[in-house]
Amino acid sequence: MTMMTPPPLDQEEEEMLVPHSDIVEGPQPMEVVAQVEQASSVENGPVEDPPSMKFTWTIENFTRLNIKRHYSDVFVVGGFKWRILMFPKGNNVDYLSMYLDVADSSTLPYGWNRFAQFSLAVVNQVHSGYSIRKDTQHQFNARESDWGFTSFMPLCDLYDPSRGYLVNDNVVVEAEVAVRKVLDYWSYDSKKETGYVGLKNQGATCYMNSLLQTLYHIPFFRKAVYHMPTTENDVPTGSIPLALQSLFYKLQYNDTSVATKELTKSFGWDTYDSFMQHDVQELNRVLCEKLEDKMKGTVVEGTIQQLFEGHHMNYIECINVDYKSTRKESYYDLQLDVKGCRDVYASFDKYVEVERLEGDNKYHAEEHSLQDAKKGVLFIDFPPVLQLQLKRFEYDFMRDAMVKINDRYEFPLQLDLDRENGKYLSPEADRSVRNLYTLHSVLVHSGGVHGGHYYAFIRPTLSDQWYKFDDERVTKEDMKRALEEQYGGEEELPQTNPGFNNTPFKFTKYSNAYMLVYIRESDKDKIICDVDEKDIAEHLRIRLKKEQEEKEDKKRYKAEAHLYTIIKVARDEDLAEQIGRDIYFDLVDHVKVRSFRIQKQKLFIAFKEEVAKEFGIPVQFQRFWIWAKRQNHTYRPNRPLLAQEESQTVGQLREVSNKMYNAELKLFLEVEFGLDLRPIPPPDKSKEDILLFFKLYDSEKEELRYVGRLYVKSSSKLMEILGKLNKMAGFNPDEEIELYEEIKFDPCVMCEHLDKMASFRLSQIEDGDIICFQKSPALKSEGECRYPDVPSFLEYVHNRQIVRFRSLDRPKEDDFCLELSKLHSYDEVVGRVARKIGLDDPSKIRLTPHNCYSQQPKPQAIKYQGVDHLSDMLVHYNQISDILYYEVLDIPLPELQGLKNLKVAFHHAMKDEVVIHNIRLPKQSTVGDVINELKAKVELSHPDAELRLLEVFYHKIYKIFPPNEKIENINDQYWTLRAEEIPDEEKNLGPQDRLIHVYHFTKESAQNQTQVQNFGEPFFLVIHEAESLADVKVRIQRKLQVPDEEFAKWKFAFLSLGRPEYLQDSDIVFNRFQRRDVYGAWEQYLGLEHSDNAPKRAYSLNQNRHNYEKPVKIYN
């Protein structure tokens, strides 16, 4: 599938886009080392492969790859051939682009398809815990033979050797692929098979589609939406109620899948919002709040609360005194913990778990002061429709990142919240209400934290039949598929060679339930009610039926298109209306002229009758000219139709004029008028006669307009028509005028002055040519006009560019527009911007170009005089933008570019505080200069204190910068630069002392392996020759000021290459560290194992930056 511009709106995912289709047959030459686990090579023949496997691809000399797309070796999964397709420099984006590709797609039989769940990863070769992995699933077929991620990871991260993805110029990529059997996607009819239809995906709106299907299949909710007051004058794109009514109506009555564009436009979303994947829970909450607001003052006011609102009571009850504080709160959904809970009941148990407030955490009970207390939550009531949000995504403090919890988590078909004598209910709850719920919907997320796919399992009538709503496709599913297979956890694949004692192959199930909807048994008859046409407003029924009829008409129009020809007829009136307003070059924009849809078998003379009716020009006064595209890319009337041509059919004439199949027939209608302004027969035309078109330029007003056409003799001289031109223009008969021929405008303007004494033939003037004329500039002072003649004006128009300028800190809003020239230099552009905002020094303006795909500023600003022209600033790959971002600097940009800006975190020696300092020095400065600059800014423990600068990455010290090192190449974007005082004991190291690294760590289990995760602030420590661990611990506790109770829980280990060897108090620490100069972060260190309870400091965010998704907003 060709994908050279942003994806069409029916693509599935924001970043799951298929790449270009001009793929070279077979893998391209490359230097790779590929490794396959549990798979046979292609050459070994048709060995039965396991349906899931992992493929590793090591790409050598990565930075020297000079090809746009790069293929891995072929590997086999489930009997199918696959390979990885990579765009090392990005697929028209500033990100690495990676896809899974069907290697033999070009040789497969017609109608082939296969389905695979897969993940792609770029391995962090320094710390595997920071590898980037993305998961998805796709039905591969001839139209979509590759699928994956256009924005896999930023190129700046990948190509930065300090990040760990590029080591020794090698990049390691992994693919895990599991092949599944599926139905034939293209021939499947959801309505016929299930009675329901799906929703089209706009790009990354599968999360919205799954929620909308769930809400639609709550009939009480659907009925309330239908009853929201709307009028026939409302527009769906500007009214959320009408757009939702329209969507629900189409879901109820359409035979094919339904588009959601009207609804998202009513939200105020643009195309970019549709390509941003958001959180289902957040959208649910925002949408319900918006509908609740829109329902106020209507007959359906309170429906949202009636359906979804429950109440719980937060309480704190003192143990030793009679004091209790309670607070009632409402909720529309409940967030349940998944991690550490085996099922929904365990999550509810955890939700109402009592917390003891004692010790340092006592409760201040007003007049009773600090008291031991119990704190908890109990439910006052549950709503008829209970929405449970499962916390599959959590923030991992160890990794300083969001992670997805794929643990197994069970949920019942029937949920009894009165269990164990109402353990979840508060004393004031109404015990007469039976809180027994039945499962209605299961919303599923398939994929990882960086992206994935949403779909829903729903049983609309609460019968035993489940349905899967996956964007456009709806299928029948059994209960096992809807429930048990969505629990998550691990799946063990069946043995492919039972005779061998192979270890079972397990893989994590990335598809699992994310949201559950339950309906209370006692309310189900009210909730699952009948909804028919009488619930739908008449104006809505009429509007939607009319839309359906128009859709059918379009379908019929398209089906019959081969029987018709479109004829575009341009007239003098069109030229006069467009030239100088819509266009300046050539004669007309054919898109805006009158179109006729004529049967190909119709005689042209019959078409002329239709023209007579339309324009009031009798047939005998009509003369038609055929347009032709010239070699210089201009489009002009070429010749009049011959009498024998007019006797042909429309279809025959179109084929004569244009060989392209189904092309339009473009004609110019020549009509002559007598003195009484009535049409007269067109004049006879010989080979000597030439039809010319004339434009008049006014240099004072800077206006160009069409003034008419004339027949001239090719042998006559230009001066012979000057009187007629003056009359056309309304000038005096003897006005001096200059004539120019408009020759072409692409790629550059060519407009040449004509010699009035020459003949038309000598001037190479022919039918359809354009002559521009004006009063002679010599009669006026040229200094008074910006563009004194036709060529200068046309040059100006050709290069004119309206640029929208936005402040860099408000990238969504236009601040102002400027009319500039594409040929303007860098200095001219910033000069105009400076004048516009009232800035005296244009060199303080810094401009940043626009990314046409992300609709965001590009990461790199334009360097001072770094481009030649404005046109260079606006180009982005194959697109031209009209947006630039600006910022005002505190110093001139040339001066700033000569400086290096470093962000340094200063750790105070005596206080537990970290202060960020921005140090700006010339690029040739040294680390010593940075330290001197810091000394003037920070508070030192004593005046003679010495500072050092460290490089810290992921809680490990990589380097102590020597004072003479140049700062130009220091990277503080991903690494934290830390400044600290050098302790006196380090300055006086004895011959038997060692300076060692000390890091905090915790152990984490992932994929059946235990990994060490570092956190917190690393530091150096001096150890002495005979010092035991017990002695070292005393100094560490004093340094870190850890309370005895907490410190007693800490464990101490010697770590080498990430493997901990735990130490006893009597161990001599010195003996473990055999080298004196241990500065390598990944070598030996003393590890402090304990839980990470410290709050995160803001400055540490740049150690592992993630682009968290934008909040969902509904603007209207």
Side-chain angles (χ1 to χ4, degrees), residues 886-1071:
Y886 74 94
E887 56 186 316
V888 180
L889 306 171
D890 58 339
I891 61 173
L893 180 56
E895 186 181 331
L896 179 65
Q897 287 179 185
L899 300 177
K900 176 76 173 179
N901 195 77
L902 293 177
K903 191 178 289 185
V904 180
F906 177 69
H907 290 236
H908 200 282
M910 309 303 290
K911 302 176 189 175
D912 183 22
E913 70 176 28
V914 177
V915 181
I916 306 297
H917 292 278
N918 284 304
I919 307 295
R920 197 155 65 184
L921 291 170
K923 290 181 178 177
Q924 296 308 308
S925 303
T926 63
V927 170
D929 297 325
V930 174
I931 288 171
N932 290 334
E933 184 86 3
L934 266 175
K935 282 183 176 179
K937 293 186 172 190
V938 302
E939 180 186 350
L940 301 173
S941 61
H942 58 90
D944 298 326
E946 294 180 36
L947 298 184
R948 66 182 167 204
L949 191 65
L950 310 176
E951 194 171 63
V952 178
F953 183 57
Y954 284 120
H955 318 288
K956 293 190 173 187
I957 298 170
Y958 270 69
K959 180 177 182 179
I960 301 176
F961 287 99
N964 60 351
E965 181 169 337
K966 294 280 195 295
I967 67 171
E968 185 172 4
N969 296 321
I970 293 179
N971 181 356
D972 68 339
Q973 188 176 4
Y974 302 108
W975 305 68
T976 298
L977 298 181
R978 183 169 104 191
E980 63 185 18
E981 291 186 19
I982 303 174
D984 290 337
E985 66 171 355
E986 291 187 29
K987 298 177 191 175
N988 304 306
L989 281 178
Q992 298 304 319
D993 293 336
R994 294 282 185 270
L995 184 64
I996 65 169
H997 291 228
V998 184
Y999 303 151
H1000 305 268
F1001 79 95
T1002 186
K1003 286 193 298 188
E1004 183 181 275
S1005 294
Q1007 298 178 348
N1008 300 325
Q1009 294 181 339
T1010 300
Q1011 294 181 334
V1012 168
Q1013 295 285 349
N1014 294 100
F1015 64 90
E1017 297 296 345
F1019 58 93
F1020 289 117
L1021 186 71
V1022 176
I1023 56 170
H1024 310 297
E1025 184 176 13
E1027 199 173 21
S1028 68
L1029 175 63
D1031 299 327
V1032 172
K1033 283 167 66 175
V1034 170
R1035 290 198 289 125
I1036 289 176
Q1037 184 179 5
R1038 186 166 61 241
K1039 178 180 177 68
L1040 300 180
Q1041 299 179 343
V1042 183
D1044 292 344
E1045 184 180 353
E1046 185 183 339
F1047 195 71
K1049 302 173 186 175
W1050 288 24
K1051 295 179 183 177
F1052 293 77
F1054 168 76
L1055 284 95
S1056 178
L1057 300 175
R1059 290 189 293 272
E1061 298 175 31
Y1062 289 94
L1063 304 175
Q1064 303 299 317
D1065 282 358
S1066 58
D1067 288 344
I1068 303 301
V1069 179
F1070 181 90
N1071 294 341

Side-chain angles (χ1 to χ4, degrees), residues 111-172:
W112 69 270
N113 66 80
R114 62 187 66 160
F115 181 79
Q117 293 173 308
F118 64 93
S119 70
L120 297 173
V122 173
V123 176
N124 190 305
Q125 299 169 60
V126 177
H127 195 309
S128 61
Y130 298 110
S131 299
I132 294 179
R133 185 177 305 277
K134 296 191 178 185
D135 320 90
T136 185
Q137 58 187 16
H138 184 60
Q139 171 114 1
F140 293 84
N141 49 63
R143 284 179 56 188
E144 294 177 347
S145 62
D146 43 28
W147 197 254
F149 307 90
T150 297
S151 300
F152 187 84
M153 68 179 292
L155 291 175
C156 56
D157 288 4
L158 176 65
Y159 282 90
D160 183 351
S162 65
R163 298 286 280 153
Y165 303 105
L166 184 66
V167 175
N168 297 326
D169 208 18
N170 291 352
V171 168
V172 179

Side-chain angles (χ1 to χ4, degrees), residues 27 51 60 205 216 230 347 377 386 471 521 541 624 649 675 790 808 827 874 881 910 920 939 945 953 1074 1103:
E60 299 175 350
T205 54
Y216 167 81
T230 53
S347 296
V377 177
L386 180 63
D471 285 339
E521 279 284 338
R541 291 202 303 270
F624 286 95
T649 64
L675 295 175
V790 174
L808 192 61
D827 288 337
L874 300 177
S881 164
M910 309 303 290
R920 197 155 65 184
E939 180 186 350
F953 183 57
Q1074 298 304 314
Q1103 291 188 6

Side-chain angles (χ1 to χ4, degrees), residues 776-898:
S776 296
L779 300 177
K780 303 185 66 64
S781 169
E782 292 190 18
E784 292 182 20
C785 302
R786 288 197 306 167
Y787 310 106
D789 54 30
V790 174
S792 62
F793 177 73
L794 291 180
E795 191 72 40
Y796 151 71
V797 170
H798 183 66
N799 293 302
R800 180 171 54 185
Q801 176 71 54
I802 306 297
V803 181
R804 295 183 285 153
F805 285 91
R806 299 176 176 180
S807 174
L808 192 61
D809 55 5
R810 295 189 307 277
K812 279 280 190 181
E813 306 167 20
D814 290 348
D815 265 16
F816 55 86
C817 294
L818 290 177
E819 182 185 289
L820 303 170
S821 168
K822 294 171 188 171
L823 301 179
H824 272 162
S825 68
Y826 175 91
D827 288 337
E828 287 173 315
V829 174
V830 294
R832 289 288 303 277
V833 174
R835 283 203 299 278
K836 177 68 179 178
I837 63 176
L839 184 69
D840 293 334
D841 186 355
S843 67
K844 290 185 178 179
I845 298 286
R846 179 161 64 181
L847 300 175
T848 300
H850 179 68
N851 185 319
C852 298
Y853 298 103
S854 69
Q855 297 295 309
Q856 297 288 321
K858 288 188 184 179
Q860 301 298 326
I862 298 169
K863 291 186 177 180
Y864 177 71
Q865 296 182 341
V867 295
D868 292 331
H869 300 111
L870 172 65
S871 55
D872 302 318
M873 300 181 189
L874 300 177
V875 69
H876 179 68
Y877 293 104
N878 58 344
Q879 294 201 24
I880 303 295
S881 164
D882 65 345
I883 296 170
L884 283 174
Y885 303 89
Y886 74 94
E887 56 186 316
V888 180
L889 306 171
D890 58 339
I891 61 173
L893 180 56
E895 186 181 331
L896 179 65
Q897 287 179 185

